[in-house]
């Protein structure tokens, strides 16, 4: 029997509790309708009472509400329902659960072996991502910028290639944020797409000697290409990465996933808060939570702000800009 726990969620003072709760507590009522959790609001505090996994999932949804409120973003009932469905999918899909994972700092962490040394997961979320790949052929790694999801995905791919577990690496990315029309950009094919694929090149340069990377690229042992160029292919004995997956459509995501051949692995990375499509409901990453939940061999890993691993000043910079925005918004009232 699942233990019943009680937790209190504190709404920051800079956020209006009424925005989080919704008109006549409509948001809180929707949470109670979708989870086995009692939700009680009083001032800036929201008390949650229910089974531990359900309470933890509701906390993630409340964090989404607060994030939207800080950015003065209108969070509709449809937005809330989407957040609920994604949180539920991440709670129920395969992969290491929070209760199964020991924090990285308290355990021996395996390192990922690349051609230029070893890379260790630095946060619990990154460790979960690495362990999920051991048990699954497809891993969705979803989280905000700076959590190292793309970098670790490339490191894992290079490790698989180094250990001869795969014969090639294929890295794909939407070539244009809200589409794939390259015709208006100057230059030939390579010159058009390189700016969009630069983050993948940067990661590879940290993990392979320059001459070896050039040879692998020339021999197409490593391919870096826009998503549109994967249509019609079957990728056997390959490690395939799809980056910026939030900007793929439903059909593009389906096309990508069905390229996977025998003895292949795939990691799909993205940030559902940075969807640049005309309608976020068109996102292939969002729809994958609903379509693929519960399928053996597919894992969903959620990284959070606690997994941000960029320069320590980045967090201070983000906080400073948030404080500035809050001051500007208060002046406008």
């Amino acid at each position: 029997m699942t233990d019943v726990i009680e937790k209190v969620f504190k709404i920051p003072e800079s956020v209006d509790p009424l925005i989080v709760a919704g008109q006549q507590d409509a948001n809180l009522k929707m949470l109670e309708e979708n989870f086995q959790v009692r939700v009680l609001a009083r001032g800036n505090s929201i008390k949650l009472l229910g089974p531990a996994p359900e309470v933890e999932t509701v906390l993630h949804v409340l964090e989404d509400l607060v994030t939207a409120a800080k950015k003065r973003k209108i969070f509709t009932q449809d937005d809330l329902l989407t957040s609920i469905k994604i949180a539920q999918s991440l709670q129920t899909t395969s992969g290491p659960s929070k209760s199964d994972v020991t924090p990285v700092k308290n355990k021996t962490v395996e390192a990922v072996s690349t051609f230029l040394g070893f890379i260790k997961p630095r946060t619990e979320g990154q460790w979960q991502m690495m362990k999920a790949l051991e048990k699954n052929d497809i891993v969705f790694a979803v989280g905000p910028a700076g959590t190292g999801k793309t970098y670790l995905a490339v490191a894992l791919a290079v490790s698989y290639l180094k250990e001869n577990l795969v014969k090639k690496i294929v890295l794909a990315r939407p070539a244009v944020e809200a589409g794939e029309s390259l015709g208006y950009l100057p230059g030939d094919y390579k010159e058009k797409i390189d700016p969009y694929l630069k983050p993948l090149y940067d990661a590879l340069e940290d993990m392979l000697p320059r001459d070896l990377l050039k040879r692998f690229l020339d021999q197409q042992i490593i391919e870096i290409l826009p998503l549109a160029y994967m249509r019609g292919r079957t990728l056997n004995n390959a490690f395939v990465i799809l980056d910026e997956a939030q900007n793929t459509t439903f059909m593009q995501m389906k096309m990508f996933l069905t390229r996977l051949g025998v003895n292949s692995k795939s990691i799909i990375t993205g940030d559902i808060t940075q969807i640049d499509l005309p309608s976020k409901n068109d996102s292939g990453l969002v729809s994958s939570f609903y379509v693929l939940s519960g399928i053996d061999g597919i894992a969903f890993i959620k990284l959070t702000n606690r997994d941000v691993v960029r320069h320590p000043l980045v967090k201070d910079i983000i906080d400073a800009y948030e404080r500035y925005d809050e001051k500007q918004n208060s002046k406008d009232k």
Side-chain angles (χ1 to χ4, degrees):
M1 183 176 177
T2 305
D3 292 336
V4 173
I5 65 169
E6 177 182 304
K7 283 203 173 183
V8 176
F9 180 83
K10 290 286 187 181
I11 301 172
E13 292 183 3
S14 59
V15 173
D16 185 349
L18 293 178
I19 295 177
V20 176
Q23 291 284 342
Q24 298 181 337
D25 291 342
N27 293 342
L28 304 185
K29 290 174 182 176
M30 183 177 284
L31 291 174
E32 289 188 327
E33 290 170 1
N34 286 274
F35 298 96
Q36 299 175 29
V37 175
R38 184 81 175 112
V39 183
L40 303 169
R42 187 169 186 177
N44 278 54
S45 297
I46 298 177
K47 183 185 292 186
L48 306 175
L49 184 65
E54 296 273 296
V55 169
E56 292 296 334
T57 306
V58 171
L59 286 171
H60 286 304
V61 178
L62 288 172
E63 287 173 0
D64 288 344
L65 281 166
V66 167
T67 298
K70 282 183 175 180
K71 296 179 179 179
R72 306 291 174 182
K73 177 184 174 184
I74 298 174
F75 208 78
T76 66
Q77 291 283 288
D78 286 340
D79 292 330
L80 179 56
L81 187 58
T82 296
S83 178
I84 288 171
K85 294 301 182 185
I86 290 174
Q88 288 173 330
S89 297
L90 289 167
Q91 173 193 345
T92 58
T93 47
S94 57
S97 67
K98 198 171 186 69
S99 60
D100 295 331
V101 177
T102 305
V104 168
K105 63 182 180 181
N106 293 332
K107 70 185 296 298
T108 301
V109 181
E110 302 101 310
V112 178
S113 175
T114 74
F115 290 90
L116 288 179
F118 295 90
I119 294 173
K120 287 186 176 182
R122 294 168 58 187
T123 69
E124 183 178 335
Q126 291 183 358
W127 183 81
Q128 288 185 22
M129 179 177 162
M130 184 180 74
K131 300 306 289 184
L133 190 69
E134 294 178 4
K135 300 178 182 178
N136 302 274
D137 288 335
I138 298 176
V139 174
F140 286 81
V142 182
T147 51
K149 53 189 182 296
T150 299
Y151 194 86
L152 181 57
V154 173
L156 288 165
V158 170
S159 176
Y160 269 65
L161 183 65
K162 180 173 181 280
E163 300 298 327
N164 293 316
L165 297 174
V166 296
K167 299 299 183 185
K168 71 181 305 175
I169 296 172
V170 178
L171 309 172
R173 200 180 199 207
V176 179
E177 296 307 307
E180 299 216 359
S181 177
L182 301 173
Y184 293 105
L185 295 175
D188 60 18
Y189 160 81
K190 188 175 187 304
E191 291 171 331
K192 288 175 188 287
I193 67 170
D194 273 358
Y196 297 98
L197 306 177
K198 189 66 166 64
L200 301 175
Y201 283 109
D202 289 344
L204 286 168
E205 287 173 355
D206 284 350
M207 301 168 197
L208 292 99
R210 189 175 295 272
D211 58 339
L212 183 60
L213 174 57
K214 184 179 185 304
R215 178 157 62 87
F216 282 169
L217 290 169
D218 290 343
Q219 296 175 352
Q220 295 191 329
I221 293 172
I222 296 178
E223 289 187 75
I224 307 176
L225 71 169
L227 179 60
Y229 285 77
M230 291 191 64
R231 191 174 301 278
R233 302 183 63 182
T234 300
L235 299 169
N236 298 319
N237 300 302
F239 198 115
V240 191
I241 296 173
L242 175 59
D243 193 34
E244 297 289 339
Q246 75 275 5
N247 289 326
T248 62
T249 65
F250 181 92
M251 290 307 298
Q252 285 174 329
M253 178 63 77
K254 180 182 176 183
M255 180 273 289
F256 172 83
L257 293 173
T258 53
R259 300 308 92 202
L260 206 64
V262 297
N263 191 38
S264 291
K265 292 272 190 176
S266 182
I267 295 181
I268 297 94
T269 68
D271 178 1
I272 58 173
T273 69
Q274 298 293 328
I275 297 172
D276 296 306
L277 299 173
S279 170
K280 67 182 177 182
N281 292 326
D282 294 334
S283 172
L285 182 60
V286 172
S287 63
S288 66
F289 293 107
Y290 313 138
V291 176
L292 304 176
S293 295
I295 296 179
D296 289 339
I298 299 178
F300 290 83
I301 301 299
K302 182 175 183 180
L303 294 98
T304 69
N305 291 336
R306 293 187 295 273
D307 296 300
V308 172
V309 291
R310 287 183 179 164
H311 193 289
L313 278 175
V314 170
K315 185 178 184 303
D316 294 336
I317 290 168
I318 293 172
D319 290 343
Y321 270 100
E322 286 187 353
R323 289 194 299 270
Y324 176 80
D325 287 340
E326 288 170 6
K327 287 181 180 178
Q328 292 300 110
N329 288 327
S330 64
K331 288 179 183 177
D332 294 339
K333 285 185 178 180

